[in-house]
Amino acid sequence: MDSRLEAVYEKVIARDGSQKEFHQAVHEVFDSLAPVIAKHPEYLDQAILERIIEPERQIIFRVPWMDDNGKVQVNRGYRIEFNSALGPYKGGLRFHPSVNVGVIKFLGFEQIFKNALTAQGIGGGKGGSDFDPKGKSDAEVMRFCQSFMSELFRHIGPNTDVPAGDIGVGGREIGYLFGQYKRLRNAYDAGVLTGKGLDWGGSLARTEATGYGTVIFAQRMLETKNDSFDGKTVLVSGSGNVAIYAAERAEQLGAKVVSISDSSGSVYDPNGVDVELLKQVKEVERGRVSDYAERRGNGAEFRAGQRPWDIPADIALPCATQNEVEKADAEALVKNGVKLVAEGANMPSTPEAIETYEGAGIAYAPGKASNAGGVATSALEMQQNSARQQWTFDDVKDRLDNIMTNIHDTCLEAADTYGAPGDYVVGANAAGFVKVADAMMAQGLV
Ligand code: NDP
């Protein structure tokens, strides 16, 4: 890393010593920026690096709620409003026991550049809680969401900060959060949250958008090599929102998806994942991938405690969580013939895994580019809310297709400009950073 970037990175470590995921995210971006600051020394003069790593505002709050046994529980809530140079803060809420300030800061930092790449006029933010919705009743989830929103509502708004879903926050949670916001504000501010139900302000194709977008991005990558998804064997990890729709789109394009996973293990499904069954088990019954394997039969096998990365395939789409592909996993991917990795999750590959892909010549798309379809479609939901319209599924899907194609092309153009042809990591980081940095320069020292 360039010594001037390294000096700022050292300050992050000194100031936020325990936030290891945040360090990782900053390191990955800064590692790409040497040619950018060489071309734009004005960014150093105006301390853009020091400013961009510091959230504009960090909100941490108590979330007390009562469980079904009448016992009081206390969780911690977060909203990190990272950067508003390009528009209102935008980014999801994650409810998972692993959530802490470092996790939310890594996600918020990534979100700044991802949102810039979408060209939709949205800033970067992220939030969540260490609350675990797994195993909770609907009534408990509702009471938690209402308590969470009773603090969050004063910080958000359709032109200020617009949260959405992420791990552990889907349609049910967005519904409860929106209901409480509406009650507290006495206003139907549809554009305050995205991922809403289709009858009350949601956008068609938002549910599908992140997974579909990841596959569209990978499709564009394949096309640069005159290749396609048709006939390919694909590994998907995770079994939530992103994984389900990545698998669905890959299969629509003629691929065979042979894996899914959750935190208890993975399923090898040699005849191709039955996406309708997966939706039934996960979205309707809130079951596990082991339940899917049992119901699927047809040679499907649940592999307790194992990730999918040792299964032979052509393409890998990590869609579960951060750091789920480590060095040994990446080596297995290389050994088994994988030629392309496109991330549906945020930061699923460790730095060592990325080095392994690069060393082996695997085409690799970082999440901040390839999974940007979710937030881009959230921005389309905000547009529909402002216009009090609902566009058709095909209209939204076509716009998503265009946005993903633009992001793909922007990454490749920036990679060329900054001396790293074909490198999607440099391209995504440089293009996203320059856009935000230029807006910050224009807006003065705020
Ligand atoms: P969901 O909650 O719908 O699904 C998450 C999936 O990941 C589940 O299968 C879950 O399994 C698995 N998972 C979570 N933690 C772990 C872990 N520690 N080890 C193994 N598996 C794990 O979330 P999403 O599908 O929405 O999100 C998945 C990823 O995509 C995240 O990185 C998120 O930040 C990213 N993303 C999501 C977007 C969206 O629009 N939803 C937009 C852009 C990025 P289990 O049930 O066992 O926990």
Side-chain angles (χ1 to χ4, degrees):
M1 192 189 291
D2 178 282
S3 60
R4 292 163 300 179
L5 289 152
E6 181 92 45
V8 181
Y9 178 66
E10 290 302 328
K11 284 188 201 165
V12 177
I13 309 268
R15 239 184 182 178
D16 300 314
S18 61
Q19 299 172 4
K20 59 186 192 330
E21 292 88 357
F22 179 52
H23 302 165
Q24 187 180 333
V26 172
H27 195 281
E28 195 249 354
V29 172
F30 277 21
D31 224 12
S32 299
L33 294 184
V36 175
I37 59 166
K39 209 170 179 154
H40 296 281
E42 69 276 15
Y43 294 162
L44 295 176
D45 298 340
Q46 290 300 315
I48 292 291
L49 295 169
E50 285 88 342
R51 286 157 63 194
I52 215 162
I53 53 163
E54 196 58 31
E56 290 174 14
R57 194 173 297 106
Q58 305 188 50
I59 303 147
I60 302 183
F61 50 100
R62 179 173 69 199
V63 191
W65 56 281
M66 195 169 280
D67 69 20
D68 286 347
N69 298 319
K71 194 163 175 291
V72 173
Q73 305 284 343
V74 181
N75 286 96
R76 190 172 284 177
Y78 302 87
R79 186 69 186 167
I80 300 212
E81 299 180 333
F82 225 118
N83 194 298
S84 61
L86 297 180
Y89 310 104
K90 183 88 196 84
L93 298 171
R94 175 177 293 190
F95 292 170
H96 192 272
S98 63
V99 163
N100 57 43
V101 70
V103 167
I104 299 298
K105 276 179 71 179
F106 118 64
L107 290 163
F109 188 70
E110 289 274 294
Q111 199 83 46
I112 302 170
F113 308 107
K114 178 190 308 193
N115 293 4
L117 287 169
T118 68
Q120 298 284 295
I122 39 180
K126 199 83 188 188
S129 174
D130 57 1
F131 173 75
D132 187 358
K134 229 178 280 162
K136 304 287 190 300
S137 69
D138 286 352
E140 288 176 321
V141 171
M142 182 177 76
R143 288 195 291 274
F144 174 81
C145 288
Q146 290 179 339
S147 180
F148 185 87
M149 186 53 85
S150 297
E151 174 57 35
L152 188 69
F153 86 101
R154 66 188 94 247
H155 307 288
I156 63 176
N159 296 306
T160 314
D161 183 355
V162 183
D166 190 83
I167 290 179
V169 178
R172 173 182 60 172
E173 290 74 17
I174 293 292
Y176 296 148
L177 291 164
F178 184 73
Q180 184 73 352
Y181 179 89
K182 181 167 62 73
R183 184 185 202 188
L184 292 166
R185 281 270 189 241
N186 189 27
Y188 206 102
D189 282 339
V192 72
L193 287 168
T194 58
K196 298 180 293 295
L198 294 178
D199 292 333
W200 44 278
S203 174
L204 286 154
R206 173 62 187 93
T207 305
E208 292 82 357
T210 310
Y212 276 27
T214 302
V215 171
I216 296 166
F217 195 96
Q219 209 184 343
R220 297 288 101 84
M221 293 169 77
L222 289 164
E223 283 164 10
T224 65
K225 298 178 166 38
N226 293 320
D227 206 348
S228 74
F229 267 93
D230 195 24
K232 297 286 188 299
T233 302
V234 177
L235 302 179
V236 169
S237 65
S239 49
N241 172 263
V242 181
I244 290 170
Y245 293 94
E248 179 168 281
R249 189 72 193 130
E251 292 192 349
Q252 287 169 357
L253 294 174
K256 183 161 76 167
V257 176
V258 294
S259 72
I260 48 170
S261 70
D262 61 23
S263 51
S264 8
S266 55
V267 170
Y268 174 46
D269 194 346
N271 294 304
V273 167
D274 178 342
V275 174
E276 290 312 311
L277 175 62
L278 179 60
K279 285 183 190 172
Q280 173 65 27
V281 171
K282 292 295 303 185
E283 293 182 336
V284 181
E285 297 166 19
R286 296 185 184 276
R288 310 291 297 157
V289 294
S290 52
D291 302 323
Y292 166 88
E294 210 171 283
R295 296 258 283 282
R296 169 82 169 123
N298 204 17
E301 171 202 347
F302 175 63
R303 309 166 346 135
Q306 286 187 55
R307 293 167 172 167
W309 312 126
D310 59 321
I311 300 169
D314 306 301
I315 292 170
L317 305 174
C319 297
T321 193
Q322 64 269 15
N323 295 328
E324 55 162 322
V325 191
E326 296 179 281
K327 187 170 196 284
D329 303 311
E331 286 167 354
L333 292 175
V334 172
K335 181 165 152 265
N336 287 328
V338 166
K339 296 279 184 294
L340 186 150
V341 177
E343 296 179 341
N346 284 312
M347 211 168 73
S349 307
T350 63
E352 297 76 24
I354 297 169
E355 267 175 39
T356 306
Y357 308 149
E358 289 171 349
I362 288 183
Y364 164 63
K368 68 168 73 68
S370 47
N371 73 31
V375 73
T377 307
S378 277
L380 299 179
E381 181 172 330
M382 291 161 70
Q383 285 185 40
Q384 293 170 77
N385 295 149
S386 296
R388 297 185 184 276
Q389 288 179 347
Q390 188 171 50
W391 303 336
T392 65
F393 185 91
D394 285 343
D395 186 355
V396 181
K397 189 167 151 291
D398 288 349
R399 289 172 196 248
L400 170 66
D401 208 288
N402 284 335
I403 291 168
M404 295 314 296
T405 303
N406 282 337
I407 297 173
H408 174 271
D409 296 352
T410 300
C411 289
L412 285 188
E413 278 160 29
D416 279 346
T417 305
Y418 293 102
D423 187 329
Y424 290 93
V425 176
V426 170
N429 287 331
F433 180 85
V434 166
K435 192 157 186 189
V436 179
D438 284 347
M440 289 172 74
M441 297 280 292
Q443 291 170 18
L445 197 49
V446 291

